């Protein structure tokens, strides 16, 4: 396998739960190799898949998907930088926005409002705000360039 996956590698990534039950066997019959993530498939599941789907060659992918996710195009890097910048600016904004007596939900809404009003598509996951003696919040915005 190449270090960098390309369209020429003829790799198809799919979730078998998205395939109709009657199409499973036919799908795998035409595959030279079917990869599986060895860290996520038990040996019992491996045996079940081999038997059930009549897979010709079931091979470990050695974290292929994780490795591929580490490779970023220039536009992806720029989007990540912009998302980080918006998040940093939001932290600065919150220092003047938060007042005694505000609820965690109010602060979470302000975080999301800030992201959206400053170019983010939304949040990558639910915003969590918790407080005690120090404020803590966890969120990340997702940014997509307008190009």
């Amino acid at each position: 396998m190449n270090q960098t996956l390309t369209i020429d590698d003829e790799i198809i990534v799919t979730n078998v739960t998205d395939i109709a039950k009657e199409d499973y066997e036919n799908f795998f019959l035409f595959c030279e190799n079917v990869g599986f993530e060895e860290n996520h498939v038990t040996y019992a599941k491996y045996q079940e898949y081999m038997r059930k789907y009549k897979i010709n060659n079931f091979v470990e992918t050695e974290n292929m998907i994780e490795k591929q996710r580490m490779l970023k195009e220039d536009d992806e890097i720029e989007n990540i930088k912009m998302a980080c910048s918006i998040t940093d600016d939001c932290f600065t904004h919150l220092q003047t926005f938060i007042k005694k007596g505000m609820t965690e939900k109010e602060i979470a809404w302000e975080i999301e409002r800030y992201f959206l009003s400053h170019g983010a598509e939304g949040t990558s996951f639910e915003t969590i705000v918790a407080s005690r003696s120090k404020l803590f919040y966890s969120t990340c915005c997702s940014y997509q360039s307008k190009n």
Side-chain angles (χ1 to χ4, degrees):
M1 184 176 97
N2 296 336
Q3 288 289 50
T4 304
L5 300 176
T6 68
I7 194 71
D8 298 325
D9 292 322
E10 297 181 21
I11 294 173
I12 300 171
V13 178
T14 189
N15 182 343
V16 294
T17 59
D18 295 340
I19 300 172
K21 205 166 196 148
E22 56 274 0
D23 291 334
Y24 283 160
E25 187 173 317
N26 290 335
F27 178 81
F28 293 117
L29 283 175
F30 296 102
C31 295
E32 184 178 328
N33 295 309
V34 175
F36 70 97
E37 290 291 332
E38 66 275 13
N39 294 327
H40 302 283
V41 176
T42 64
Y43 184 67
K45 272 291 181 199
Y46 171 89
Q47 289 181 319
E48 177 188 337
Y49 292 155
M50 289 291 290
R51 183 183 67 258
K52 188 174 182 180
Y53 304 123
K54 300 175 180 68
I55 296 170
N56 295 319
N57 193 23
F58 208 27
V59 296
E60 296 176 12
T61 60
E62 299 178 31
N63 296 312
M64 179 175 63
I65 300 301
E66 287 83 355
K67 290 175 186 175
Q68 183 64 23
R69 287 181 178 156
M70 292 182 351
L71 302 174
K72 303 292 182 211
E73 300 288 329
D74 290 342
D75 62 327
E76 290 177 287
I77 293 169
E78 288 307 312
N79 287 344
I80 291 168
K81 286 179 180 178
M82 182 56 84
C84 289
S85 177
I86 293 169
T87 302
D88 286 346
D89 293 346
C90 184
F91 271 106
T92 301
H93 165 70
L94 288 176
Q95 292 174 353
T96 59
F97 174 80
I98 297 173
K99 305 291 182 237
K100 187 174 182 175
M102 292 183 84
T103 66
E104 294 162 351
K105 194 175 277 189
E106 287 173 318
I107 297 167
W109 286 335
E110 180 60 16
I111 292 167
E112 292 180 26
R113 186 205 64 74
Y114 187 93
F115 284 164
L116 293 173
S117 67
H118 287 81
E121 287 182 339
T123 57
S124 297
F125 47 88
E126 184 180 353
T127 302
I128 301 166
V129 177
S131 60
R132 189 146 181 141
S133 60
K134 292 185 178 184
L135 176 71
F136 163 80
Y137 83 84
S138 172
T139 191
C140 181
C141 73
S142 56
Y143 179 83
Q144 195 75 11
S145 66
K146 307 280 190 237
N147 300 338

